[in-house]
């Protein structure tokens, strides 16, 4: 005979009733699985990078030049990283989020740290939605000189969306 | 020695006695101190017993004797939804059984799976505030729970009850509680008082409940010290919590309080 499971009874006059934790535990497990997958990909990528570096080091006649080129490349890379880190990411993202609209889908966001410019590629349901989106971007205190660089109507799409590029200068 | 958690104070309050046990440790609890007094003013006795604790950091859990609590089973009603309606339905059932005096009671309704009968409990309106007031002068004590004896014992031994398909019997000096739970919910939760709660009378009450509900099971789990042996029943004593420094067979006065661990 199968033994039934009797649930708790909660009649406490002070403590809040205990609630089922299944959802929380399921979320924790899902998070751990995702974290494990990300860690595995990171380790694979790092291993591949090391393999490439080791293989290149073995190429004849290139070792000294490789070292000099590597240090120059590394310097440029480091400078690029520093430039990226210096961007006001939080302010940029806030400005873009504030302009968000259900009629506009943001496709790409390209900041240029050297020129301190931001390029946005997006798709709008209508011309009005596109113009309104660019206007709202222009209201942001973090962006200046916001303007529509180009746009086109995607005729092959039956909904005829407006695909456009907006440019702005980072303050 | 640093302790991550405060000591626990488990208290049982009955109309004529108070039992307090201070327990340290979560994984291997051990008894630090205990106190028991018989008194017709149990809340006053509780206040006096708590005074020496002063600023000691303690988490306190109180178990209420079933003699303070009334229970009623609340059949499932598909037209009722939400906590407020469930509470109103429980109040209706208490009023049906106890009349107008049930109006001022402090009622709690337990959850149950859809379709199952719930258990509701009721205590006098001033009982919980009085217990809170007893703890108020102790700045280090945090009252974390006040629960009926039936709730504490059932939650602790529900796996055994399910496995044995058994009744739960909670005898006390001047009272007893009978309960029977199945996958369809709470089938019985009765408190008996006075002469009806002792010896042969208790055995007869158990038999009446079994027949009334047409329950086949004649197995009962009894908590605490009891010599109950009604004819035709298989009685087993539930072993209370193992606490280092405490012997349940000799010190059953603390059995009710220790259910809260």
């Amino acid at each position: 005979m199968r033994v039934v499971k009797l649930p708790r009874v909660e009649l406490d006059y002070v403590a809040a009733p205990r609630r089922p934790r299944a959802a929380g535990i399921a979320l924790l497990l899902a998070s751990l699985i995702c974290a494990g997958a990300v860690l595995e990909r990171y380790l694979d990528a790092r291993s591949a990078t090391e393999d490439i570096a080791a293989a290149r080091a073995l190429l004849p006649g290139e070792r000294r030049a490789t070292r000099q080129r590597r240090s120059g490349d590394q310097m440029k890379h480091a400078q690029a990283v520093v430039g990226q880190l210096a961007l006001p990411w939080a302010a940029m993202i806030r400005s873009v989020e504030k302009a968000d609209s259900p009629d506009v889908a943001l496709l790409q966001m390209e900041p240029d740290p050297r020129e301190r410019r931001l390029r946005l590629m997006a798709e709008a349901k209508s011309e009005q939605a596109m113009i309104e989106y660019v206007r709202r971007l222009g209201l942001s205190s973090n962006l200046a000189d916001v303007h529509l660089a180009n746009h086109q109507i995607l005729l092959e799409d039956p909904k005829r969306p407006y695909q456009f590029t907006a440019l702005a200068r980072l303050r | 020695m640093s302790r991550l958690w405060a000591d626990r104070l488990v208290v049982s309050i009955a109309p004529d006695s108070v039992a307090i046990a201070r327990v340290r440790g979560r994984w291997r609890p051990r008894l630090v101190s205990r106190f028991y007094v018989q008194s017709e003013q149990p809340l006053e006795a509780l206040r006096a017993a708590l005074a020496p604790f002063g600023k000691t950091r303690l988490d306190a859990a109180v178990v209420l004797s079933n003699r303070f609590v009334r229970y009623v089973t609340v059949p499932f009603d598909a037209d009722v939804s939400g906590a407020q309606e469930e509470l109103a339905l429980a109040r209706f059932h208490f009023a049906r059984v106890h009349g107008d005096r049930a109006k001022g009671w402090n009622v709690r309704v337990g959850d149950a799976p859809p379709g199952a009968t719930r258990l509701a409990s009721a205590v006098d309106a001033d009982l919980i505030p009085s217990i809170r007031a007893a703890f108020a002068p102790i700045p280090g004590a945090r009252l974390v729970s006040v629960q009926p004896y039936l709730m504490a014992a059932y939650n602790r031994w529900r796996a055994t009850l399910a496995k044995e398909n058994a009744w739960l019997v909670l005898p006390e000096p001047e009272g007893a509680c009978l309960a029977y739970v199945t996958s369809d919910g709470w089938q019985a939760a009765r408190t008996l008082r006075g002469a009806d709660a002792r010896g042969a009378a208790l055995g007869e009450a158990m038999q009446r409940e079994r027949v009334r509900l047409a329950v086949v099971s004649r197995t009962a789990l009894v908590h605490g010290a009891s010599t109950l042996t009604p004819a035709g029943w298989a009685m087993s004593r539930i072993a209370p919590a193992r606490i280092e420094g405490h012997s349940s067979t000799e010190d059953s006065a603390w059995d009710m309080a220790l259910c809260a661990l």
Side-chain angles (χ1 to χ4, degrees):
Chain A
M1 186 173 70
R2 193 169 64 92
V3 176
V4 300
K5 286 189 79 173
L6 297 179
R8 281 183 61 89
V9 70
E10 301 290 354
L11 301 171
D12 204 299
Y13 286 84
V14 168
R18 293 190 201 181
R19 291 287 174 228
R21 294 178 292 175
I25 291 171
L27 186 61
L28 174 64
L29 285 174
S31 304
L32 288 173
I33 290 168
C34 287
V38 169
L39 178 64
E40 190 180 351
R41 286 188 67 180
Y42 165 73
L43 292 174
D44 285 346
R46 195 171 81 169
S47 174
T49 306
E50 287 169 358
D51 288 347
I52 292 169
R56 288 186 69 180
L58 288 174
L59 289 174
E62 278 198 2
R63 288 181 195 160
R64 202 178 306 158
T66 300
R67 269 203 302 274
Q68 286 173 347
R69 216 174 31 241
R70 194 180 298 156
S71 68
D73 287 345
Q74 282 178 342
M75 181 60 73
K76 278 186 191 169
H77 177 69
Q79 283 172 343
V81 168
V82 169
Q84 291 279 346
L85 289 173
L87 287 172
W89 283 100
M92 253 190 335
I93 290 169
R94 264 200 308 273
S95 301
V96 172
E97 278 180 347
K98 273 191 182 168
D100 193 28
S101 152
D103 294 330
V104 176
L106 183 66
L107 302 176
Q108 201 169 331
M109 196 165 101
E110 283 181 20
D112 184 341
R114 213 170 40 160
E115 301 290 326
R116 287 193 69 80
R117 287 193 178 279
L118 178 65
R119 173 193 291 265
L120 295 171
M121 280 181 60
E123 212 168 86
K125 284 185 183 173
S126 65
E127 184 184 22
Q128 189 57 36
M130 174 183 70
I131 293 169
E132 187 57 28
Y133 183 80
V134 173
R135 186 190 70 79
R136 281 200 300 275
L137 271 180
L139 296 175
S140 167
S141 56
N142 303 308
L143 304 173
D145 300 336
V146 179
H147 61 278
L148 193 63
N150 61 63
H151 74 280
Q152 60 175 334
I153 303 171
L154 298 182
L155 298 172
E156 60 272 16
D157 188 325
K159 292 184 182 164
R160 307 284 183 101
Y162 280 68
Q163 196 172 80
F164 63 96
T165 300
L167 296 177
R169 186 167 53 79
L170 302 172
R171 288 190 202 267
Chain B
M1 181 179 79
S2 78
R3 288 183 282 118
L4 286 176
W5 294 287
D7 284 357
R8 287 178 288 173
L9 207 63
V10 290
V11 180
S12 65
I13 302 178
D16 52 10
S17 66
V18 172
I20 302 174
R22 180 177 173 181
V23 178
R24 183 167 295 166
R26 301 279 162 164
W27 308 117
R28 293 176 63 182
R30 63 186 185 282
L31 188 67
V32 176
S33 62
R34 62 189 183 188
F35 169 86
Y36 176 81
V37 67
Q38 285 189 301
S39 168
E40 296 298 318
Q41 304 287 336
L43 292 174
E44 291 299 324
L46 176 63
R47 208 168 284 125
L50 292 176
F53 289 111
K55 292 183 181 174
T56 311
R57 212 161 59 92
L58 297 161
D59 285 341
V62 173
V63 178
L64 298 174
S65 160
N66 290 320
R67 288 179 284 162
F68 280 127
V69 188
R70 298 95 178 170
Y71 299 102
V72 75
T73 54
V74 182
F76 174 74
D77 188 332
D79 293 331
V80 169
S81 67
Q84 291 301 322
E85 289 187 14
E86 285 163 9
L87 187 62
L89 181 61
R91 286 192 179 281
F92 165 76
H93 283 283
F94 273 117
R96 191 172 57 82
V97 174
H98 298 279
D100 280 348
R101 65 191 179 116
K103 279 183 187 169
W105 289 349
N106 190 343
V107 175
R108 287 288 185 270
V109 187
D111 278 341
T117 303
R118 295 168 188 264
L119 179 69
S121 68
V123 297
D124 287 346
D126 58 357
L127 178 60
I128 306 304
S130 298
I131 293 172
R132 285 187 185 276
F135 280 89
I138 314 302
R142 187 172 63 132
L143 186 61
V144 299
S145 168
V146 177
Q147 56 184 293
Y149 184 14
L150 177 57
M151 170 187 158
Y154 165 79
N155 284 338
R156 193 170 181 87
W157 284 285
R158 57 193 168 102
T160 308
L161 288 168
K163 186 180 161 199
E164 303 292 332
N165 185 27
W167 292 75
L168 177 62
V169 180
L170 305 174
E172 294 184 52
E174 290 295 324
C177 180
L178 309 176
Y180 184 69
V181 190
T182 68
S183 57
D184 293 325
W186 287 78
Q187 307 306 306
R190 287 204 61 197
T191 49
L192 305 165
R193 290 181 169 80
D196 289 340
R198 290 192 292 268
L202 177 54
E204 285 164 12
M206 289 167 61
Q207 184 62 13
R208 276 199 305 276
E209 278 298 292
R210 192 185 75 80
V211 170
R212 183 177 73 84
L213 297 170
V215 170
V216 171
S217 171
R218 288 174 185 258
T219 303
L221 302 182
V222 185
H223 184 240
S226 170
T227 54
L228 195 61
T229 51
W233 284 74
M235 309 294 288
S236 299
R237 182 161 183 251
I238 303 174
R242 283 180 192 246
I243 309 288
E244 190 181 318
H246 171 73
S247 166
S248 168
T249 49
E250 296 166 4
D251 306 321
S252 60
W254 286 270
D255 284 350
M256 192 192 313
L258 293 173
C259 278
L261 285 178

